[in-house]
């Protein structure tokens, strides 16, 4: 009798807990017929809070880029206030009118499109619209209004390459140094690539053919590329699709390529940038080891309501120490990564054997949690919670969902 008397309360508690859990889930975007490529891209980019703030600061204009940007802003605001799944019809119609290739269809309806191409076009539109950077904060925490002339994409999602070209056939020829911007890193896949870091490095060191002013003919050059600026948000694309001429289709490389939840980008950087970020990076990694080592004692203090003012004081000292290790030039560079360390915040996957078939879905890290949100691959408006272990299983090697695009954000330093 005593047990049965407790049962209703237990059931109520479980029901309330489940209801609270459901309320914490975001709402999805409805699939309008092979629009998973777009929905997954939008959900992945939505994980960037600074992007949403920048969109809300955007002053409307009359260009097509401005109109599409306004539509994206409104779509994100609708999602943030939604009580049910959202239909992205207006954005889709505008997007197809600006980029007609995404409006291709057959008698069976609109055809599947490439999510990477969609991602790239959305970033290019936001760059053209010149959405402003979010409001900045002074050292004492006060919000400072920033200029609307500074581009969010340029500051927060664009890095810089510095490439050095050496002619192998004319060693006496002087080196050529080229600087260029990038909005994503490519992970090239071969039988030698098992980790995303290896695939990225493969694309940074290559041999190219170009005209030699010394030899006055085409010659082979060693091209060594390194990153001279790291953005706050780093996009990585797995180069998984290739054109198969005999079947006239973009086939897919299914090879397993592991990717980390935390990425150290130092090895991709120029020596100059390494020297700027290493003191802070090394100290942050030391503190992470110390934190993991003291996790059990910290949990004991929490469980026993121990108020450790000494620990609070030490944490303040560490924060001040870390701030002093930030390179002054990088500290002035709004939207730059100052430590070289990143954490994974979104994954866009593809399931299927070719780019023209299968489906794309987005997997987004839940705010202040190690859990992730999965947007269902059959109905994009359905949402579920998955673990970090589930995300690590997206590395390929079979017919399950395989990571195609990764979005990393700068690790918090204080």
């Amino acid at each position: 009798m005593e047990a049965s008397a407790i049962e209703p309360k237990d059931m109520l508690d479980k029901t309330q807990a489940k209801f609270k859990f459901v309320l914490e889930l975001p709402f999805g975007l409805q699939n309008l017929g092979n629009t998973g490529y777009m929905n997954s891209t939008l959900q992945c980019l939505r994980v960037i809070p600074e992007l949403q703030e920048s969109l809300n600061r955007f002053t409307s204009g009359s260009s097509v880029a401005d109109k599409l940007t306004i539509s994206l802003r409104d779509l994100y605001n609708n999602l943030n206030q939604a009580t049910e799944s959202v239909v992205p019809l207006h954005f889709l119609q505008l997007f197809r009118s600006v980029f007609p290739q995404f409006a291709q269809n057959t008698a069976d309806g609109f055809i599947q499109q490439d999510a990477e191409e969609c991602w790239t076009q959305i970033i290019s539109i936001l760059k053209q619209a010149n959405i402003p950077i979010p409001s900045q904060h002074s050292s004492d925490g006060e919000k400072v209004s920033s200029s609307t002339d500074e581009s969010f994409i340029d500051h927060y999602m664009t890095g810089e390459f510095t490439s050095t070209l050496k002619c192998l056939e004319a060693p006496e020829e002087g080196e050529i140094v080229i600087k260029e911007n990038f909005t994503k890193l490519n992970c090239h896949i071969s039988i030698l690539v098992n980790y995303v870091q290896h695939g990225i490095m493969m694309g940074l060191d290559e041999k190219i053919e170009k005209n030699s002013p010394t030899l006055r003919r085409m010659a082979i050059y060693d091209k060594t590329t390194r990153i001279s600026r790291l953005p706050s948000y780093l996009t990585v694309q797995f180069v998984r699709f290739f054109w198969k001429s005999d079947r006239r289709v973009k086939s897919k490389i299914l090879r397993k390529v592991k990717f980390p939840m935390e990425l150290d980008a130092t090895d991709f950087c120029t020596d100059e940038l390494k020297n700027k970020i290493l003191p802070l990076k090394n100290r942050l990694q030391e503190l992470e080891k110390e934190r993991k080592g003291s996790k059990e004692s910290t949990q004991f203090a929490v469980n026993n309501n121990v108020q450790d003012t000494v620990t609070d004081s030490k944490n303040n000292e560490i924060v001040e120490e870390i701030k002093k290790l930030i390179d002054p030039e990088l500290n002035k560079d709004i939207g730059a990564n100052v430590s070289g360390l990143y954490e994974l915040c979104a994954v866009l996957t593809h399931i299927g054997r070719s780019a023209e078939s299968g489906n794309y879905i987005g997997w987004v890290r839940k705010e202040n949690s190690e859990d992730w949100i999965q947007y269902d691959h059959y109905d994009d408006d359905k949402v579920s919670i998955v673990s970090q272990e589930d995300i690590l299983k997206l590395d390929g090697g079979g017919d399950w969902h395989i990571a195609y695009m990764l979005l990393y954000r700068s690790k918090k330093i204080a």
Side-chain angles (χ1 to χ4, degrees):
M1 292 294 293
E2 187 176 344
S4 63
I6 299 174
E7 246 180 28
K9 182 180 183 303
D10 287 343
M11 291 177 62
L12 178 61
D13 288 344
K14 288 179 181 178
T15 302
Q16 290 176 336
K18 184 177 180 181
F19 184 64
K20 181 177 183 295
F21 178 77
V22 170
L23 284 178
E24 290 175 351
L25 289 176
F27 288 94
L29 294 167
Q30 289 188 23
N31 194 317
L32 300 177
N34 275 340
T35 57
Y37 69 92
M38 183 190 76
N39 289 354
S40 56
T41 296
L42 294 177
Q43 294 289 12
C44 286
L45 293 175
R46 187 181 167 219
V47 79
I48 306 174
E50 297 93 338
L51 172 58
Q52 294 194 52
E53 183 181 341
S54 293
L55 286 170
N56 288 330
R57 294 189 69 224
F58 179 65
T59 303
S60 60
S62 57
S63 70
V64 290
D66 291 346
K67 290 177 181 177
L68 194 54
T69 299
I70 293 165
S71 181
L72 178 60
R73 178 196 67 194
D74 294 343
L75 178 59
Y76 279 163
N77 286 336
N78 287 340
L79 275 169
N80 293 336
Q81 300 166 17
T83 56
E84 59 183 357
S85 59
V86 173
V87 181
L89 181 59
H90 184 257
F91 180 84
L92 177 63
Q93 290 174 333
L94 273 177
F95 186 67
R96 284 174 172 166
S97 68
V98 177
F99 302 107
Q101 68 266 34
F102 294 99
Q104 295 175 338
N105 59 15
T106 65
D108 297 325
F110 290 99
I111 66 173
Q112 179 66 279
Q113 298 289 337
D114 191 320
E116 183 277 328
E117 293 177 5
C118 175
W119 185 300
T120 298
Q121 296 292 19
I122 289 175
I123 294 300
S124 72
I125 278 292
L126 295 176
K127 182 176 172 62
Q128 287 178 47
N130 199 36
I131 60 171
I133 61 175
S135 298
Q136 301 300 300
H137 291 81
S138 63
S139 57
D140 57 4
E142 283 191 30
K143 185 176 274 192
V144 178
S145 179
S146 53
S147 171
T148 54
D149 295 330
E150 297 181 284
S151 164
F152 170 84
I153 298 299
D154 288 341
H155 281 272
Y156 282 83
M157 299 191 75
T158 303
E160 182 187 68
F161 282 142
T162 296
S163 301
T164 303
L165 279 68
K166 297 179 182 178
C167 184
L168 298 179
E169 301 175 62
E172 71 280 3
E173 187 175 298
E175 292 183 349
I176 302 171
V177 177
I178 302 171
K179 291 184 180 292
E180 54 189 339
N181 292 334
F182 70 90
T183 55
K184 66 180 175 66
L185 296 179
N186 289 329
C187 173
H188 295 271
I189 303 174
S190 73
I191 59 172
L192 301 176
V193 174
N194 297 311
Y195 298 91
V196 68
Q197 295 93 322
H198 297 162
I200 292 173
M201 285 301 297
M202 182 184 292
L204 297 180
D205 295 325
E206 57 182 335
K207 286 182 171 56
I208 65 169
E209 189 177 23
K210 68 177 290 295
N211 184 62
S212 166
T214 303
L215 301 175
R216 297 184 180 180
R217 61 173 174 81
M218 299 299 286
I220 303 299
Y221 283 75
D222 255 338
K223 183 180 181 183
T224 302
T225 301
R226 292 295 180 266
I227 297 173
S228 44
R229 182 190 188 267
L230 285 168
S232 286
Y233 289 88
L234 185 67
T235 302
V236 178
Q237 178 201 351
F238 289 92
V239 185
R240 288 198 175 274
F241 295 111
F242 66 98
W243 181 253
K244 210 164 185 176
S245 56
D246 59 332
R247 293 173 55 194
R248 299 187 60 80
V249 67
K250 282 173 70 176
S251 293
K252 183 177 175 182
I253 301 172
L254 300 176
R255 182 177 177 81
K256 180 187 286 288
V257 180
K258 294 184 177 298
F259 54 88
M261 298 301 295
E262 297 185 356
L263 176 69
D264 181 352
T266 309
D267 289 342
F268 311 143
C269 299
T270 62
D271 289 340
E272 182 182 359
L273 183 54
K274 281 182 184 177
N275 291 333
K276 291 179 179 179
I277 64 179
L278 277 176
L280 176 59
K281 188 204 84 166
N282 291 339
R283 182 59 179 136
L284 288 174
Q285 290 180 330
E286 288 174 3
L287 290 170
E288 182 65 15
K289 289 180 181 178
E290 292 174 11
R291 185 190 68 79
K292 289 178 179 178
S294 63
K295 192 174 182 179
E296 289 185 8
S297 59
T298 302
Q299 190 60 49
F300 173 84
V302 171
N303 292 341
N304 291 276
N305 295 320
V306 177
Q307 183 66 36
D308 192 344
T309 55
V310 175
T311 302
D312 290 341
S313 176
K314 185 179 179 181
N315 287 340
N316 291 334
E317 290 178 7
I318 290 173
V319 170
E320 292 304 315
E321 175 196 358
I322 288 173
K323 287 181 179 179
K324 291 177 182 177
L325 291 174
I326 302 175
D327 180 84
E329 288 185 22
L330 293 181
N331 199 30
K332 293 177 183 177
D333 187 353
I334 298 170
N337 180 308
V338 298
S339 70
L341 300 176
Y342 290 91
E343 62 181 10
L344 189 64
C345 62
V347 181
L348 190 154
T349 61
H350 178 264
I351 186 169
R353 290 275 172 160
S354 74
E356 287 78 20
S357 64
N359 209 339
Y360 297 94
I361 68 169
W363 313 66
V364 174
R365 191 168 190 162
K366 202 165 181 285
E367 190 175 358
N368 300 320
S369 172
E370 290 189 357
D371 289 332
W372 285 67
I373 299 163
Q374 174 193 354
Y375 294 91
D376 190 271
H377 61 287
Y378 293 114
D379 296 297
D380 297 314
D381 57 330
K382 292 183 179 177
V383 179
S384 56
I385 291 291
V386 297
S387 68
Q388 183 170 293
E389 288 70 29
D390 292 317
I391 299 301
L392 293 174
K393 293 175 183 175
L394 303 173
D395 55 357
D399 287 325
W400 181 238
H401 298 280
I402 299 179
Y404 184 35
M405 306 285 289
L406 305 175
L407 182 62
Y408 285 94
R409 65 185 172 207
S410 298
K411 286 201 71 174
K412 293 181 181 178
I413 62 173

